Amino acid sequence: MSAATETAAPPAAGTKTDAVIDVENVTHLFKAHRALDGVSFRVSPHSLHGFVGPNGAGKTTSLKLICTLLKPQTGRIRVFGHDVRDEVKAIRRRIGYMPDHFSMYRQMTVFEYLDFFGAAYGFSLKERNRIVADVLALTDMDGRKDDLIQGLSRGMQQRVSLARVLVNDPDLLLLDEPASGLDPRARIELMEILRELKRMGKTIFISSHILSELAELCDSVTIIDRGKTKYSGPMEHLLHREAEHPTYRLRLDVPIDDFDQTLAAMPGVIEVVPAEGKPEYRVSIDATATDHSALLRNVLDAGASIMVFQKDQRHLNEAFMDLTERGVRQ
Amino acid sequence: MIARTLALLHRALRVDARMLRTHLFRAALVGIVIFALSDAQNSWAGAPGLEFFSWLQFYNFWFITFAGATFFPTCVTEEKEELTLGLLKLAGVNPLSLLLGKWTPRLLGAVLLLSVQFPFMLLAITLGGVLMHQAVASYCALAAHLLLVGAIGLFASVVCRKSTGACLLAGTLLAGLILGPYIAIGVAEVLANAGILSDSTAALIAAACGWVLNTSAILRIDAIMATGFNESPLSPQVIANLVVSVALFAASWALFGPCTRNELASVAAGGGWWSRLIRVGRGRPWSMAIPWKEFSLTCGGAPVIVLKGVAYAALIAAITTYSALAMYGYSNPDLSEMLAAIMLTTMLVVLFVEAAVIAARIYRSEIRDQTWPGLILLPRTLPETAYAKLAGSLLTLAPATALLLTGFIIEPEYLEEFLEHVIFDEAILGFGYFMCQIVLFLHLTTLLSILWTWAAWPVSIFFAGFIVIMGNALVGSCCTLSGPVDDEAIFFVGSVCSSVLIVIVHLWIGQQLSRLAAA
């Protein structure tokens, strides 16, 4: 399926008028290398939007364009309706960008670092006291506020980095691989913070490689590969998209010998894939010849005791693998 | 061990050969030699070959000294900064192989860099006035000097944690070696005249310093270029330089283990005493946050201002005391006039050096630590952020500026003289041209510091100075070639051209800063 069809099929994540981020047909070249090639997607307000793609797909370039560090060569990007080419200050006031690398003044304490950015955004001393206390509490760093940044662990530094992004109370958070290099606990805690931020009404645009967590966390997703948009829309649509033939997961309570062959012989069944080591099968049917009710009846008639019967939902990583191409980008 | 050393050497030479910059340097060096040749052609008298060759060798000496102070000290520190030393150790590369593998390619690179002059040496001999054995002796002296500079650089590179510290240590040791004996002899003489030091002790110091001076390549080259020179190339200078080089290499080898043991911990610690010092009395950020950050963090803040003030005052006091004692018995000096003159000259030099250091570090540290995008994303324009950083950095010039102004207050006549003879006189054009060169130098320093990611900030200062000095020499040479020209016209045209260059470099810095924010 072509990229155009993929992006056109599902409802847009945000309409043209209300989209927080509106990327339209953006192409960006680094000398002869085409980093982005007609990328388009939209992000609706108050949503948590995942941005996934293989290494070198153009994720970081897209983020840098959105946060005004780069200017698009062709196409248009609007953030809160402001063009990234001309209205840089207006955009910067409302966004918080967390890059994929630690970039902190390591000789400052956590408090000094956040206080400095508070002052840089023009907050008064009184306001800074309140803001820094709030972001420290939100990121659970208030106990470490007097520690030097250089002495903190990677997970702690990531929290400080996130706290810094929150100092100006941005409406849109742009997070580039925020969970990379974190241990499981730090990762879970970070996801909790992101959920909390979403509850607070922030729009979060997150680039990540950890697909399982994105699937759980995000309302919508954009998948890009080799500089092109492969899918952009609600997460639900991507995960529940109809496959060519509907597939069901069937798990028996008690194993039955050669039950895969019994299933294969049932009317309308196209394919049966047994799971290894357990009485479980993935059954694909021809939707024009039968449906799930008929299949279920046939299974019961065959004397099987059913533990699980459900539509086989694709995982984000499967969708990701389907939509992206193999091989390393040159 | 030899295989590992050769592997490192092989890699270093291949990398060196692939890099455009080494070839550009060679081309620049040939350009300078050709320029010197054309310049000397105008003023040649009796022995053109000797005159040209002398110039070439003195230029080589200073080039080796200045470039060596920044080229060799980074050979081990670059591995320390990139945390790759541990990987090399894990690969079974022992300290000796590592030192040889990292140091020898640079030594060879320096020799190859200078080897482009070989045809010009033959030309000098053909032109007359210099003989082959003089050429051989002078190149032996320079080779020994190169080895010494390299060994000092290697030692500094092993002992120091960062390239900047290593460059500073190597530079200080070389300055001490070249200038130290003269200073020591002068001080001993003055103290002896004032009766503080006995004559025998002063004589002993003078003898020791004389011996050190005998090991100086610059004096040796001077002696070689004298008419009738007929000594062996293996002079005391060559032997002494070789012995000291071997000793320094041995010391580097011995200290390599202890100095590189805690690679990760030392880099993570990020400064130790410096970090603790600059936190003293830092306070909350001002409403102008970026100048505060620049002043408090990059430049050290109030503690460093106080330390600088004390150090500069002590320096002025020491020079004034020395000058007063030196003049004691010969004349009756006016102490306030002397103090003011010393304050003004010393602080002008200090201001120039401090400005160069600021220019080299102002953006480099942000780019190295990848903090530049964070600043750029503040809701302000790139020039606003860049100039805010500059404003914060300039605050650290306060002690030197205060002492300079104090000099004018002590002796207001100097200010009147300056205004009368420079500002309100025809010399204004010359002064304007000079100031343009300073501003151009500072701009070039900043540009090189953000353009060359491989170079430590002292390297950018050195190369910016080299470009400005050579550019001026080239312009001067072109002016004399075309016959007598009015000085004022030269200064005027030079100032206009320099101003255009300053604007170009200024815009280039802005463009590069913008590009680096998105890199």
Side-chain angles (χ1 to χ4, degrees):
Chain A
M1 202 180 278
S2 74
T5 323
E6 289 286 351
T7 48
T15 62
K16 249 187 172 184
T17 46
D18 68 1
V20 170
I21 302 172
D22 184 2
V23 177
E24 253 185 77
N25 200 24
V26 169
T27 298
H28 198 85
L29 283 85
F30 291 111
K31 292 183 181 167
H33 172 69
R34 195 172 281 264
L36 296 179
D37 189 4
V39 167
S40 297
F41 61 86
R42 289 195 290 278
V43 176
S44 54
H46 317 298
S47 67
L48 216 157
H49 189 97
F51 193 48
V52 294
N55 288 332
K59 299 190 296 294
T60 300
T61 305
S62 303
L63 272 161
K64 284 179 177 172
L65 285 162
I66 295 166
C67 77
T68 73
L69 280 177
L70 283 172
K71 285 194 187 340
Q73 289 156 350
T74 60
R76 199 174 66 170
I77 300 179
R78 287 182 168 274
V79 180
F80 296 111
H82 302 292
D83 195 302
V84 294
R85 278 201 191 88
D86 314 317
E87 296 161 282
V88 170
K89 275 192 186 179
I91 293 171
R92 287 179 183 175
R93 270 191 209 103
R94 297 184 67 183
I95 63 164
Y97 170 58
M98 189 165 130
D100 58 347
H101 50 76
F102 291 121
S103 52
M104 285 181 272
Y105 300 110
R106 297 162 62 85
Q107 291 173 333
M108 283 185 184
T109 63
V110 173
F111 184 86
E112 278 174 339
Y113 182 67
L114 300 174
D115 197 20
F116 161 67
F117 274 96
Y121 276 104
F123 294 113
S124 68
L125 199 66
K126 200 175 161 188
E127 286 172 316
R128 269 147 54 194
N129 286 337
R130 180 185 54 78
I131 290 167
V132 173
D134 285 352
V135 294
L136 282 172
L138 183 68
T139 52
D140 202 16
M141 284 297 292
D142 29 13
R144 308 292 299 268
K145 66 176 184 172
D146 295 322
D147 290 8
L148 278 181
I149 290 173
Q150 65 192 14
L152 298 176
S153 68
R154 194 181 168 89
M156 291 288 177
Q157 288 193 7
Q158 195 74 306
R159 279 167 185 244
V160 177
S161 200
L162 185 61
R164 192 266 291 168
V165 168
L166 295 170
V167 161
N168 61 322
D169 193 20
D171 297 315
L172 169 65
L173 294 173
L174 302 163
L175 312 177
D176 194 358
E177 298 288 350
S180 68
L182 298 186
D183 62 35
R185 171 175 284 276
R187 203 176 284 172
I188 291 164
E189 286 169 352
L190 179 73
M191 295 303 156
E192 273 308 311
I193 294 171
L194 294 183
R195 277 194 193 96
E196 179 59 32
L197 287 168
K198 195 194 156 199
R199 276 195 288 273
M200 289 163 68
K202 310 276 181 207
T203 306
I204 302 170
F205 185 77
I206 177 172
S207 147
S208 178
H209 279 136
I210 304 158
L211 301 177
S212 55
E213 280 162 8
L214 278 188
E216 200 185 309
L217 203 67
C218 295
D219 311 309
S220 51
V221 66
T222 295
I223 297 178
I224 68 164
D225 184 26
R226 300 177 190 233
K228 291 181 195 291
T229 316
K230 296 290 178 180
Y231 174 85
S232 186
M235 181 69 83
E236 213 171 282
H237 262 264
L238 180 70
L239 301 182
H240 291 99
R241 269 185 325 151
E242 289 293 330
E244 198 176 352
H245 301 291
T247 303
Y248 296 90
R249 188 164 78 95
L250 170 69
R251 184 160 188 177
L252 303 184
D253 197 11
V254 182
I256 299 173
D257 289 342
D258 301 326
F259 195 68
D260 53 332
Q261 287 169 23
T262 311
L263 280 170
M266 287 176 186
V269 172
I270 297 169
E271 189 187 20
V272 177
V273 181
E276 251 180 67
K278 51 187 176 182
E280 190 175 306
Y281 309 89
R282 288 180 74 196
V283 186
S284 300
I285 58 170
D286 180 357
T288 58
T290 187
D291 63 8
H292 67 278
S293 317
L295 175 67
L296 190 57
R297 264 196 310 274
N298 291 335
V299 171
L300 289 169
D301 290 347
S305 167
I306 300 170
M307 184 183 270
V308 177
F309 182 80
Q310 65 177 163
K311 191 161 186 195
D312 193 35
Q313 186 181 309
R314 294 197 327 161
H315 291 287
L316 182 57
N317 50 359
E318 287 175 282
F320 178 78
M321 291 303 283
D322 286 350
L323 291 169
T324 57
E325 292 173 42
R326 279 174 189 275
V328 178
R329 190 175 184 187
Q330 296 301 308
Chain B
M1 191 198 94
I2 288 174
R4 281 173 186 147
T5 308
L6 286 177
L8 280 173
L9 180 68
H10 185 228
R11 188 195 73 170
L13 285 175
R14 280 178 64 171
V15 168
D16 198 53
R18 279 190 206 135
M19 276 190 296
L20 181 67
R21 71 166 190 255
T22 51
H23 303 295
L24 286 177
F25 280 155
R26 275 183 203 111
L29 288 179
V30 171
I32 290 162
V33 175
I34 291 171
F35 146 72
L37 198 62
S38 70
D39 186 43
Q41 196 181 8
N42 258 9
S43 54
W44 278 348
L50 180 67
E51 200 171 311
F52 170 60
F53 192 67
S54 300
W55 183 91
L56 199 61
Q57 296 307 73
F58 284 116
Y59 149 77
N60 280 342
F61 173 83
W62 289 114
F63 185 79
I64 289 170
T65 307
F66 284 113
T70 52
F71 184 52
F72 294 106
T74 54
C75 62
V76 178
T77 50
E78 68 179 13
E79 300 280 354
K80 288 183 188 175
E81 285 174 356
E82 287 169 20
L83 302 178
T84 47
L85 211 52
L87 296 176
L88 288 172
K89 284 182 188 172
L90 281 175
V93 183
N94 65 43
L96 184 60
S97 301
L98 218 147
L99 289 180
L100 285 171
K102 294 294 298 177
W103 185 61
T104 332
R106 294 193 182 219
L107 213 53
L108 280 177
V111 172
L112 289 173
L113 216 56
L114 295 171
S115 66
V116 292
Q117 297 173 2
F118 184 71
F120 296 98
M121 179 198 78
L122 297 179
L123 177 67
I125 293 168
T126 312
L127 286 170
V130 62
L131 299 170
M132 182 54 101
H133 78 269
Q134 278 177 298
V136 170
S138 70
Y139 275 110
C140 279
L142 278 177
H145 179 64
L146 175 65
L147 204 66
L148 178 69
V149 171
I152 288 173
L154 178 71
F155 179 75
S157 195
V158 167
V159 171
C160 295
R161 200 159 41 83
K162 289 187 174 174
S163 296
T164 305
C167 289
L168 286 177
L169 177 63
T172 310
L173 288 174
L174 280 167
L177 205 64
I178 294 167
L179 301 175
Y182 294 108
I183 296 169
I185 290 171
V187 171
E189 200 177 306
V190 166
L191 293 178
N193 285 344
I196 297 167
L197 213 66
S198 70
D199 286 347
S200 57
T201 314
L204 197 69
I205 291 170
C209 291
W211 186 87
V212 175
L213 284 173
N214 275 340
T215 66
S216 164
I218 188 85
L219 294 181
R220 172 70 180 160
I221 291 170
D222 205 25
I224 291 168
M225 294 304 154
T227 314
F229 172 82
N230 196 19
E231 291 173 20
S232 160
L234 212 63
S235 65
Q237 175 261 329
V238 172
I239 295 166
N241 282 188
L242 288 177
V243 169
V244 175
S245 303
V246 171
L248 280 170
F249 187 89
S252 305
W253 186 15
L255 291 172
F256 186 83
C259 290
T260 59
R261 198 160 289 149
N262 299 315
E263 182 187 33
L264 276 169
S266 63
V267 171
W273 64 270
W274 174 256
S275 180
R276 281 193 294 277
L277 174 74
I278 64 170
R279 287 182 67 199
V280 178
R282 191 188 277 168
R284 299 283 297 269
W286 310 329
S287 56
M288 288 185 292
I290 297 176
W292 170 85
K293 198 274 300 174
E294 205 56 29
F295 173 71
S296 309
L297 202 72
T298 315
C299 302
V304 173
I305 290 276
V306 173
L307 280 180
K308 272 185 188 173
V310 172
Y312 296 159
L315 179 71
I316 291 167
I319 297 173
T320 311
T321 310
Y322 170 80
S323 306
L325 287 173
M327 293 174 90
Y328 184 76
Y330 299 104
S331 63
N332 193 17
D334 180 344
L335 270 180
S336 70
E337 195 180 317
M338 183 191 283
L339 178 68
I342 289 168
M343 258 185 178
L344 293 174
T345 45
T346 317
M347 286 306 107
L348 279 174
V349 173
V350 165
L351 277 175
F352 174 72
V353 172
E354 278 207 64
V357 173
I358 288 172
R361 293 180 61 186
I362 184 165
Y363 304 116
R364 187 179 172 79
S365 53
E366 300 276 1
I367 286 151
R368 184 197 58 209
D369 299 338
Q370 298 181 310
T371 48
W372 186 234
L375 279 190
I376 283 295
L377 280 178
L378 291 171
R380 57 189 74 193
T381 60
L382 173 72
E384 280 169 2
T385 305
Y387 294 131
K389 276 180 70 66
L390 182 63
S393 299
L394 291 179
L395 289 175
T396 58
L397 299 179
T401 312
L403 286 166
L404 187 81
L405 293 176
T406 311
F408 279 126
I409 292 167
I410 292 171
E411 207 59 47
E413 279 176 21
Y414 286 135
L415 184 62
E416 286 165 24
E417 277 177 33
F418 172 74
L419 292 174
E420 191 183 333
H421 296 300
V422 178
I423 303 296
F424 302 121
D425 195 28
E426 287 168 350
I428 183 73
L429 284 172
F431 179 72
Y433 179 76
F434 176 72
M435 290 312 290
C436 279
Q437 300 315 298
I438 300 274
V439 176
L440 181 61
F441 161 73
L442 295 175
H443 271 78
L444 274 174
T445 304
T446 304
L447 179 68
L448 296 181
S449 75
I450 55 173
L451 213 54
W452 292 344
T453 48
W454 51 272
W457 59 263
V459 181
S460 10
I461 294 178
F462 167 74
F463 278 102
F466 189 72
I467 292 167
V468 171
I469 290 167
M470 281 302 156
N472 273 284
L474 189 67
V475 171
S477 166
C478 291
C479 290
T480 46
L481 277 175
S482 58
V485 189
D486 184 11
D487 282 352
E488 285 175 26
I490 293 177
F491 286 140
F492 179 73
V493 174
S495 301
V496 172
C497 292
S498 305
S499 302
V500 171
L501 278 176
I502 290 166
V503 171
I504 292 169
V505 176
H506 194 87
L507 295 174
W508 192 352
I509 291 169
Q511 193 190 32
Q512 183 69 5
L513 286 176
S514 176
R515 199 184 66 77
L516 287 167

